[in-house]
Amino acid sequence: MNTFSEHLAYVTRTADSALEKCGFDHLVIASGIEKLRFLDDMPYPFKVNPQFKYWAPLIYNPNSWVAYTPGKKPVMVYFQPDDYWHVPPSAPQGDWVEHFDIRIIRDADEARENLPDPAHSAIIGESDAALDGVVPNNPADLLAYLHYHRAFKTPYELALMRKAQAKAVRGHRAAEAAFRAHGSEAQINAAFLAGAGHTDSDVPYNNIVALNENGATLHYQYKSFNKPTHHRSLLIDAGAEYHGYAADITRTHGNGFERFEQLIAAVDDEQQALCAQVKSGMDYRDLHLQCHLRLGGVLKSLGIVDMDPGSMLEKGLTSVFFPHGLGHPIGLQVHDVAGFSDEAGQLIPRPNGHPFLRMTRTLEPGMVVTIEPGLYFIPSLLAELKTRPEAKAVNWGAVEQLTPYGGVRIEDEVHCTEDEPENISRDAFAAL
Ligand code: GLY
Ligand code: MN
Ligand code: MN
């Protein structure tokens, strides 16, 4: 069987169950619309509804719709306007085409006559995508069910995710070379984009390209054109996309300063040990807590905090140096949906004191998650720590030495299988 038809069979099976459970006859999904900036005629970059691109790899297709009725060939209402200001979507092509009843429309409103009875449809989309009489209702129970099952990637999706990794890895190689050549953040970002084959607007998230102490801002959003006097460190969290599937990879590079190089190597070792535990039956929350203990061990062995890791976790010390979650599901979205809930949409709570963890489910074959531990020297969190009794366990000299380096994060995507985990990021680095 070709992998797209296998994928579509999974997607339609899931839709069949969702419709039956939730009492609808049809599933209708809007791709979305192009939105204009306030008081302006300039559009924001179009970002398609992820539920739409789940059905067919269409990324740049506003005003299009999927309509599915169990037992029937799905309908693709395909918007292809006459437009001489922009390049309109090309004629439908690819593996998906033969599996759809395709209806080309030239005008957005023509979609309505190609869609089933809205009164009996679950209509998934943003409110802006509404047509006269076709208003997205986004039933919560149905969405929860679709989201939950989207966590299990089909072989077709996994193949696309591996291709996204390969693009991102080419970008990371180019970015490291630009760092070694003492480029600015803007130059390193440009090198990444050229290597990955992306523009700034079609990457799956805003690249984080942080030199020196900027690495301590977790989602550092600028790309400075200034070249710093010293290139001490680069933390680059930058991804790529292939047919709508995201890669999300972080690497940290040093400049030879031993203590920072040791920190990178130690975080890398722990990251790989965590990746090796992406196995069926592992509760991701336990892996997150284990990550805290492991990073506490790094802080202790490198002489940064003198306390046993269990006490560090208990007293919130590891959270000062590692204030984010271990990772998240990934796929059609960088932070893929359904990290926190069961099939019925019931919340699976985070551990107390860990408000930023984005994944609380137990791992099962087919899931792909990121594993992204980090240790950072964040001035505001360190200043607060200084006021606490635990401050006396901290080697402030070491902290001061490392603060100009910002921090370390290492991030890969790992596929949970029936057997050993597949680290699709490391495999891509090894192959290129
Ligand atoms: N790049 C955002 C994240 O790692 O979650
Ligand atoms: Mn991530
Ligand atoms: Mn990332």
Side-chain angles (χ1 to χ4, degrees), residues 139-166:
D141 52 351
L142 181 130
L143 266 181
Y145 188 89
L146 295 182
H147 288 168
Y148 179 86
H149 287 279
R150 220 178 75 200
F152 306 106
K153 274 42 186 188
T154 62
Y156 161 83
E157 294 184 286
L158 290 163
L160 299 180
M161 291 185 76
R162 292 185 195 105
K163 293 208 172 190
Q165 296 291 320

Side-chain angles (χ1 to χ4, degrees), residues 45-263:
F46 174 69
K47 297 291 172 193
V48 71
N49 173 357
Q51 289 290 352
F52 178 86
K53 63 177 169 174
Y54 194 39
W55 285 74
L58 298 174
I59 318 302
Y60 301 115
N61 294 72
N63 304 308
S64 294
W65 299 74
V66 165
Y68 173 67
T69 304
K72 292 196 178 159
K73 200 171 191 180
V75 172
M76 174 65 73
V77 181
Y78 192 92
F79 179 61
Q80 198 186 25
D82 291 319
D83 186 352
Y84 53 83
W85 291 97
H86 309 98
V87 179
S90 55
Q93 55 190 302
D95 284 353
W96 64 274
V97 170
E98 64 180 283
H99 300 280
F100 284 80
D101 168 3
I102 297 174
R103 319 263 178 93
I104 305 285
I105 57 170
R106 305 285 178 209
D107 186 277
D109 286 336
E110 281 172 49
R112 196 181 317 106
E113 62 223 47
N114 291 286
L115 298 176
D117 178 5
H120 294 101
S121 299
I123 306 173
I124 311 302
E126 54 193 335
S127 52
D128 294 348
L131 300 170
D132 193 14
V134 184
V135 180
N137 50 9
N138 296 311
D141 52 351
L142 181 130
L143 266 181
Y145 188 89
L146 295 182
H147 288 168
Y148 179 86
H149 287 279
R150 220 178 75 200
F152 306 106
K153 274 42 186 188
T154 62
Y156 161 83
E157 294 184 286
L158 290 163
L160 299 180
M161 291 185 76
R162 292 185 195 105
K163 293 208 172 190
Q165 296 291 320
K167 288 180 73 176
V169 164
R170 288 193 190 94
H172 274 273
R173 296 246 191 259
E176 184 182 357
F179 168 65
R180 301 283 172 220
H182 296 164
S184 65
E185 291 168 349
Q187 288 172 323
I188 296 168
N189 186 48
F192 177 89
L193 292 172
H198 271 294
T199 67
D200 234 347
S201 64
D202 65 8
V203 281
Y205 58 93
N206 195 13
N207 290 342
I208 298 164
V209 183
L211 286 171
N212 302 338
E213 57 278 351
N214 294 337
T217 301
L218 299 180
H219 282 176
Y220 174 72
Q221 71 272 44
Y222 299 117
K223 279 109 189 166
S224 172
F225 280 88
N226 295 330
K227 289 188 187 177
T229 318
H230 299 290
H231 279 67
R232 290 184 289 269
S233 60
L234 170 68
L235 188 160
I236 174 163
D237 181 344
E241 200 172 283
Y242 189 82
H243 285 200
Y245 286 86
D248 175 10
I249 297 180
T250 309
R251 289 294 181 265
T252 307
H253 306 288
N255 69 349
F257 173 58
E258 200 181 341
R259 195 166 219 153
F260 191 65
E261 298 290 352
Q262 286 171 342
L263 192 68

Side-chain angles (χ1 to χ4, degrees), residues 152 274-284 287 359 361-367 369 414-422:
F152 306 106
L274 292 160
C275 290
Q277 293 175 73
V278 172
K279 290 194 175 170
S280 186
M282 168 64 82
D283 184 330
Y284 195 86
L287 207 53
M359 168 76 177
R361 280 169 73 172
T362 294
L363 294 169
E364 290 178 63
M367 289 180 169
V369 291
V414 188
H415 166 209
C416 177
T417 73
E418 300 279 357
D419 197 356
E420 289 306 304
E422 175 195 4

